[in-house]
Amino acid sequence: MMRTIKSGLVRYFSLLTMVLLTATAVLAQDETPGVAQLFITDSDVSSLPSVELHVYGRDAQGNPLNLSQETLTIQQNGSPVGPIEYQGTHTAGTFTVFLIDIPPGVVDELPLLQQAIESFAATGNMLEQLDSVAVYQVGATEAQQLLEPTGFYNSVRNLFATPLTPEIGATALIDSTTSLLEQLDALKPSSDMATSLVLVSDGTDVVSTRFEEDDLVNRALALGIPVHTIWLDNENISTPAVGQDFLAGVAAQTGGIAVQLDNTADLPLIWNRITSFRDQARIRYTVTALEAGTFPVTVSLANSPSVSAETTVEIPNNLPSVVINLPTESRILSLPDLDEAVRLQFSTAVTWLDGVEREITAAQLRVNGVSYDVPVEEMSNFQADITSFTYGNNSVEMVVMDEQGIQATSPIVVLTVNEGPRQIPDELDAGSGLLGLVLRFLLVVFALIVVLAVLLWLWRSGRITHLGSLVPRGPSRRRQPYGEQPEVTYAPTHTVAYLEVLGAVTQLSSPIPLSMAVVRIGRSPNQANLAFENDVTVSRLHASLMLEGNNYRIFDEQSTSGTWVNERQVPEYGIQLNDGDEIHLGAVHLRFRQG
């Protein structure tokens, strides 16, 4: 009987253990995120009471989410925030790591493998100095580095100047992949880059002992890193379908794409998926109860709350906050043309979170990325002559710097400019509307009346006898005989200068003459006179050339990658251009010429 009781207890505890292990496995699986995820890569609190987040996401198949079309919910410190606005995109770049497994049986495919990696690290896929790539090889226990992270095409080409050689001996595929996944966050050159792992292998593994296939998949999902797989045909394997199925499963479970190396036409599917995460959404929200501190922030999809991301936002106690005081109903105006400057008036206010008033040392109004200096003493109510308006929506913001050296930017105010008769809201009207024109006309008429009255009094008093003698006459000119033309000389009305295009993705005719006093260069045709539309390394409004006397000066318009002249970065006050100077704006390479 005792034996029966003991046997029952053993079965009971065995069953209980199995239940606990199963429950633990289920809970662990529930805690592992799925492929559909959001990622917050950066935050900016310089525009209080607005906070800007850089966000990207992917759906259940690993495709990028278009966050301009998604409804988001945001909570800060557990409470819903104010209005949420999509502010365009931020180009953060990508970080791609190739992990190659090359046993002796794939030696015939090594040239094709090298070509595949070189095709990715080339124009059209990877963007130099914006995207980065690294190459690792599967080892006996962990991955071995062949090429450290680099942003240059030649670094990849130089790696393969010496052909790859097969790895002799067994290799730990799962151990190498999983351990490399854990290193990628520390390896990537910039923390805001979207990271991808490309695994090139025959899919077989008989050595790994530290990790299992589930560990690899769960780690990739936890880190939000898709594992794209490229299958190599190993002539020494009798059942290749096993390895191919393994690679296909890893890719499907982590949001990656699986292809065969022999099908080179499929490789762009992976390259395009990777580069589609280069740009991230700029999401701006308003803090309803502004206070200093460090606060948790959660961003979620409204139609799928489980797809979310978390970060922390730190708001310093001494941070300035600047706002443009302009009612929503006063943000639409009409102008017959945009050929001349439009004078508008603005009202702004600056406060500090700690309530301590500080001195403002510099102020600028920024319209569509073009800056206009504002006298600090007039900042609360000032006028500005705007030359950078376009028809449609225009972004207007105020930038200030206080005595602490802290810069603050106001939340963007969108002014809509329509084409039509001049109509400007009273809050923006600086007296240049119809009333202003009438007043100026009456002032001129009054001045003429005064002059005529004085002349009439002088004539009647006998002090002048002939009013006609007061009218100035030009010097007489000898009449030219018929058929004879006077000699005319022409002086140039502006500096003769032009730009030579030395390198750019966008095809523009070269040279490009500079015929305006202000030449704006960028990616957006709506903001720039000279638009490199296909060069994503160029900001929408990247730089401006301004004529000062007989020379052009170049200014950087707070671009993402900066503006460089002769390998020197353009400072805030600009650089005067001389004949032969070479200009770099992202991947665009120009030469300035002045005759």
Side-chain angles (χ1 to χ4, degrees):
M1 182 175 179
M2 287 295 295
R3 184 176 298 175
T4 302
I5 295 174
K6 288 182 180 180
S7 177
L9 289 175
V10 169
R11 286 197 297 269
Y12 171 77
F13 283 112
S14 298
L15 179 62
L16 180 62
T17 302
M18 290 177 62
V19 170
L20 291 175
L21 289 175
T22 303
T24 303
V26 170
L27 290 173
Q29 187 174 4
D30 291 341
E31 292 174 358
T32 302
V35 172
Q37 296 181 51
L38 289 179
F39 306 90
I40 304 172
T41 63
D42 198 8
S43 62
D44 182 3
V45 296
S46 63
S47 299
L48 292 178
S50 292
V51 175
E52 181 173 297
L53 302 176
H54 294 171
V55 185
Y56 74 94
R58 57 183 187 174
D59 62 18
Q61 287 71 46
N63 299 302
L65 291 173
N66 183 358
L67 295 183
S68 66
Q69 304 298 320
E70 296 284 350
T71 302
L72 300 177
T73 59
I74 301 179
Q75 288 191 339
Q76 178 168 306
N77 206 27
S79 301
V81 300
I84 302 171
E85 299 176 339
Y86 174 80
Q87 298 290 321
T89 59
H90 161 71
T91 303
T94 61
F95 179 48
T96 306
V97 179
F98 287 87
L99 177 59
I100 59 178
D101 183 18
I102 48 177
V106 301
V107 65
D108 291 340
E109 296 204 272
L110 293 186
L112 199 57
L113 168 59
Q114 294 177 183
Q115 292 174 18
I117 298 178
E118 288 180 341
S119 72
F120 174 77
T123 303
N125 295 316
M126 170 185 164
L127 294 182
E128 270 197 317
Q129 301 185 65
L130 180 64
D131 300 324
S132 292
V133 63
V135 181
Y136 279 74
Q137 183 172 346
V138 173
T141 57
E142 60 182 13
Q144 305 298 318
Q145 187 181 80
L146 299 182
L147 176 66
E148 64 182 1
T150 178
F152 296 95
Y153 303 149
N154 282 339
S155 298
V156 179
R157 298 189 187 106
N158 292 338
L159 169 66
F160 296 128
T162 302
L164 292 171
T165 56
E167 178 73 24
I168 300 197
T171 53
L173 178 62
I174 294 177
D175 284 353
S176 296
T177 307
T178 309
S179 61
L180 182 58
L181 281 168
E182 296 175 340
Q183 302 174 45
L184 294 188
D185 191 54
L187 283 173
K188 60 183 176 181
S190 178
S191 60
D192 60 350
M193 286 179 162
T195 304
S196 301
L197 179 64
V198 180
L199 177 59
V200 187
S201 172
D202 61 14
T204 60
D205 183 10
V206 295
V207 175
S208 293
T209 57
R210 295 168 53 202
F211 301 104
E212 301 289 341
E213 179 181 347
D214 289 345
D215 298 324
L216 189 163
V217 171
N218 292 336
R219 193 59 183 150
L221 290 173
L223 295 171
I225 299 175
V227 181
H228 306 285
T229 60
I230 301 176
W231 182 69
L232 300 175
D233 186 8
N234 190 334
E235 63 182 16
N236 295 333
I237 296 178
S238 58
T239 56
V242 175
Q244 191 172 2
D245 291 344
F246 165 75
L247 294 177
V250 169
Q253 294 177 82
T254 62
I257 296 175
V259 301
Q260 296 184 33
L261 182 62
D262 292 340
N263 297 334
T264 55
D266 290 341
L267 290 175
L269 296 175
I270 296 180
W271 308 160
N272 293 337
R273 173 69 66 81
I274 291 173
T275 57
S276 66
F277 291 97
R278 181 180 291 129
D279 292 334
Q280 302 173 9
R282 295 170 51 222
I283 305 298
R284 183 170 291 188
Y285 66 89
T286 302
V287 181
T288 52
L290 188 61
E291 58 180 330
T294 301
F295 306 100
V297 173
T298 303
V299 180
S300 307
L301 296 182
N303 61 356
S304 184
S306 61
V307 180
S308 63
E310 296 181 354
T311 188
T312 56
V313 171
E314 182 177 358
I315 302 177
N317 190 47
N318 63 338
L319 200 65
S321 174
V322 56
V323 294
I324 298 176
N325 300 318
L326 186 64
T328 304
E329 63 273 13
S330 300
R331 300 180 182 183
I332 301 177
L333 57 152
S334 297
L335 297 171
D337 59 68
L338 300 176
D339 297 334
E340 299 180 357
V342 183
R343 175 166 293 184
L344 300 179
Q345 66 179 11
F346 296 90
S347 172
T348 63
V350 182
T351 57
W352 286 262
L353 286 181
D354 55 12
V356 178
E357 293 290 330
R358 296 177 174 87
E359 180 183 358
I360 298 297
T361 58
Q364 285 184 331
L365 183 73
R366 191 178 294 158
V367 181
N368 293 332
V370 179
S371 298
Y372 303 88
D373 289 334
V374 175
V376 173
E377 62 276 6
E378 301 176 7
M379 195 182 66
S380 61
N381 196 349
F382 65 91
Q383 297 181 359
D385 294 325
I386 311 300
T387 59
S388 55
F389 273 143
T390 61
Y391 287 123
N393 291 336
N394 298 261
S395 65
V396 181
E397 53 190 345
M398 191 72 177
V399 183
V400 300
M401 181 176 292
D402 67 9
E403 62 186 18
Q404 309 169 97
I406 300 177
Q407 179 175 299
T409 305
S410 72
I412 291 178
V413 170
V414 177
L415 290 185
T416 302
V417 179
N418 297 321
E419 186 173 8
R422 183 185 180 94
Q423 293 183 351
I424 299 179
D426 292 341
E427 288 82 358
L428 288 172
D429 194 357
S432 55
L434 179 61
L435 179 60
L437 292 174
V438 171
L439 291 176
R440 286 198 294 273
F441 174 75
L442 293 176
L443 183 62
V444 171
V445 171
F446 176 76
L448 289 175
I449 293 174
V450 171
V451 171
L452 291 175
V454 171
L455 291 176
L456 183 62
W457 177 79
L458 291 174
W459 178 66
R460 287 185 173 181
S461 63
R463 300 189 182 189
I464 56 174
T465 56
H466 299 287
L467 284 175
S469 63
L470 297 177
V471 180
R473 300 180 183 274
S476 61
R477 179 178 300 172
R478 180 174 64 87
R479 183 182 298 275
Q480 299 291 330
Y482 180 76
E484 199 177 303
Q485 297 298 326
E487 181 182 355
V488 180
T489 58
Y490 294 92
T493 58
H494 58 79
T495 300
V496 178
Y498 58 91
L499 293 173
E500 296 176 346
V501 180
L502 303 182
V505 175
T506 303
Q507 298 297 321
L508 294 180
S509 59
S510 179
I512 302 170
L514 303 178
S515 58
M516 296 183 293
V518 179
V519 180
R520 299 180 178 88
I521 307 174
R523 189 176 76 248
S524 170
N526 295 328
Q527 300 183 28
N529 312 113
L530 180 55
F532 294 88
E533 297 185 49
N534 299 324
D535 289 89
V536 296
T537 60
V538 178
S539 298
R540 286 183 173 84
L541 178 64
H542 198 110
S544 295
L545 275 67
M546 297 186 182
L547 189 62
E548 298 181 350
N550 293 324
N551 298 293
Y552 275 98
R553 179 177 287 270
I554 188 169
F555 295 88
D556 181 72
E557 300 293 352
Q558 294 192 339
S559 63
T560 301
S561 58
T563 302
W564 303 77
V565 175
N566 297 334
E567 299 184 356
R568 174 190 172 195
Q569 188 167 11
V570 175
E572 183 179 355
Y573 52 83
I575 289 180
Q576 179 177 308
L577 294 174
N578 298 312
D579 182 51
D581 283 349
E582 295 195 7
I583 305 168
H584 282 85
L585 305 92
V588 172
H589 186 189
L590 307 172
R591 180 183 288 124
F592 176 78
R593 288 296 190 186
Q594 182 170 341

